[in-house]
Amino acid sequence: MTIEMTTTTTIAEFVRANGGAAVLDGIHLPYADAKAGPAAKFGLRAELYLPDEDRSLLRTQAAEFLHEFWAMFPDQVNEFLQRDKKRSTRFGGDPGAAIEADIASSAPKTGYSGALFGRADIGLPNDDIPVYQANVLVNRAGDSDLSFFDLSMPLASVSGSLHTVPLLERFLGWCRRFKPRHGSAGFSFIVCPGMSQNSVYALQLMNRFPGFDFPSAVDFTMEVGGVHDRIKSVNWLTALGDELVAQLGGLEMMRQALEPACTVHGYDGGVVIQAGPTPRLGDTHANDVPAEYRLAARVTRPVRFEDYDEGLFRVPKELNKRDETLKWIRRFD
């Protein structure tokens, strides 16, 4: 039995033995050298890819997004990475004024990037992965890449309640207000800010547990460039703006194709497909690929991006990055 397979099997058994996926909050994905610290943790993640016609509005929305993320976890989120800074700084209390001042310190045409973090001690040395993360990137005027907002959080609160209901409510609220071109939310890896996840075990886990998303917003926007009407993949929640809904035949046709297995949340600006009442990891070793995710993937396949030059994540030397990326985004087909 290989080391990689031992890791994936251990995680699967650990989840089953401890009553569900929330136990993943206390474990991590290692590097080949365990002394290097965690390569990745596990949690919930959301990504919103946004229209960039009005950068002043986007910057206002970025401030709202960051502040509302802090308001979800005011006792845990206490670090702010300002524009053009390499290190985050700690803060106490409400960071709203500091966020707005940082955004206002430059002209809208220059874009904006900033982040909030919060750390959780799971007993590891050299732990540089904050499990609470919110990142915003508003691209510069003239840049064809999509702007995006994303966030990560643990699966459960300190009291043990799952964050899935708050994630659903917030995701729907942000879609109604920000009207993204597309986006998604559900189970994901969580990695060190600004770092690609390069553990030797990552691809093994992604292939076995199809419910895991990969934190690749920067790589995805670079790959798609000016192509703004194609999605990365589906997850528990998949947001589609009006343009994509129209390409798929309209809201009523989508409802007919998806419901009742999936729930279609319509709003002024698009839809959110909810693939089942709660997110699922699945397990290909048990022939368990969630049927709701398969259905969401089948309906949205015509608007999925597949024209990759390189790919979204690192792979072992003997494998091709683009080929493995395409296999992964087609995992529910």
Side-chain angles (χ1 to χ4, degrees), residues 248-263:
L248 294 173
L251 176 59
E252 290 310 311
M253 185 172 291
M254 290 184 64
R255 288 193 189 280
Q256 291 176 19
L258 289 161
E259 293 180 337
C262 298
T263 301

Side-chain angles (χ1 to χ4, degrees), residues 130-195:
V131 289
Y132 300 91
Q133 297 184 30
N135 302 278
V136 296
L137 176 64
V138 178
N139 277 311
R140 296 182 297 271
D143 193 333
S144 64
D145 292 351
L146 285 164
S147 299
F148 65 82
F149 304 161
D150 68 45
L151 63 84
S152 300
M153 66 182 76
L155 291 161
S157 68
V158 292
S159 65
S161 60
L162 293 178
H163 284 142
T164 51
V165 172
L167 175 62
L168 171 62
E169 293 173 349
R170 290 284 182 169
F171 191 79
L172 290 173
W174 286 324
C175 286
R176 294 184 184 109
R177 287 162 50 203
F178 303 154
K179 302 188 187 328
R181 291 186 180 273
H182 53 83
S184 62
F187 286 131
S188 180
F189 294 110
I190 303 176
V191 300
C192 179
M195 296 289 289

